């Protein structure tokens, strides 16, 4: 899945090419994700889709980010799983959204993101060996919230 991120980063200066690639790939991954959510429940497909959207969130320009962030939040919170790879990838994406979204867009998904992050941190087995990486990413996402979205009171 790192290939997607490398493609976006490498060709970021060629906006027409990047936009074409994003439109084509995003449409494909969205279809796979929707099918996985509604029909197949295939966790490998879900993981690949989450990773693709993670790359979009990290590497895309602001216009693309503003077009896909709600979709990522909606799809990733509709799939109930205990798969730590999926949860870790989702919460990593949440942290990147927190870092990159402007305050207005962040406010529209703030409660969902923070509740999801909080749930992962407060699980009774959050610090087990199996869940450690996921919890680490959840704590990192919470730190990004403090750094990038918390405003000082006047």
């Amino acid at each position: 899945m790192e290939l997607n991120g490398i493609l976006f980063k490498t060709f970021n200066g060629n906006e027409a090419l990047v936009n074409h690639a994003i439109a084509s790939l995003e449409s494909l991954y969205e279809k796979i994700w929707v099918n996985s959510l509604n029909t197949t429940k295939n966790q490998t497909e879900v993981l690949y889709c989450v990773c693709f959207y993670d790359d979009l969130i990290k590497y895309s320009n602001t216009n693309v980010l503003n077009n896909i962030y709600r979709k990522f939040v909606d799809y990733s919170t509709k799939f109930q799983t205990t798969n730590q790879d999926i949860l870790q990838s989702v919460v990593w994406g949440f942290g990147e959204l927190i870092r990159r979204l402007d305050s207005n867009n962040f406010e529209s998904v703030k409660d969902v993101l923070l509740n999801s992050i909080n749930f992962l941190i407060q699980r009774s087995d959050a610090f087990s060996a199996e869940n450690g990486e996921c919890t680490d990413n959840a704590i990192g996402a919470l730190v990004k919230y403090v750094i990038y979205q918390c405003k000082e009171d006047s």
Side-chain angles (χ1 to χ4, degrees):
M1 293 311 297
E2 288 297 318
L3 177 60
N4 293 321
I6 291 168
L7 286 173
F8 294 129
K9 192 172 185 177
T10 302
F11 295 105
N12 202 24
N14 186 336
E15 194 163 333
L17 180 60
V18 169
N19 288 338
H20 177 71
I22 289 171
S24 299
L25 292 172
E26 198 265 337
S27 175
L28 171 66
Y29 278 97
E30 181 181 12
K31 287 176 186 172
I32 294 169
W33 204 348
V34 168
N35 188 54
S36 298
L37 291 172
N38 296 328
T39 307
T40 68
K41 311 294 187 210
N42 184 310
Q43 293 196 21
T44 301
E45 290 175 356
V46 171
L47 178 60
Y48 290 163
C49 293
V50 170
C51 290
F52 172 76
Y53 276 83
D54 281 352
D55 286 343
L56 280 181
I57 291 165
K58 182 173 183 174
Y59 295 112
S60 66
N61 63 38
T62 303
N63 292 334
V64 171
L65 179 67
N66 289 339
N67 288 324
I68 60 110
Y69 79 92
R70 288 183 204 272
K71 203 179 298 183
F72 178 76
V73 172
D74 289 344
Y75 293 163
S76 61
T77 56
K78 285 182 181 172
F79 190 77
Q80 300 298 313
T81 186
T82 59
N83 181 307
Q84 292 305 298
D85 291 332
I86 293 173
L87 294 173
Q88 180 269 326
S89 296
V90 166
V91 77
W92 184 90
F94 286 178
E96 282 298 292
L97 284 177
I98 290 168
R99 182 181 69 81
R100 293 207 55 212
L101 288 175
D102 64 39
S103 59
N104 290 332
N105 287 332
F106 175 71
E107 277 300 315
S108 69
V109 292
K110 175 183 174 181
D111 290 340
V112 172
L113 296 182
L114 294 180
N115 286 335
S116 298
I117 292 165
N118 189 39
F119 171 79
L120 291 172
I121 292 170
Q122 292 187 355
R123 294 181 295 176
S124 61
D125 60 348
F127 296 97
S128 68
E130 180 181 317
N131 298 337
E133 191 171 338
C134 180
T135 302
D136 182 56
N137 281 344
I139 292 168
L142 195 57
V143 169
K144 288 178 183 179
Y145 169 69
V146 171
I147 293 171
Y148 297 104
Q149 296 294 341
C150 289
K151 306 296 180 213
E152 291 183 35
D153 293 330
S154 300

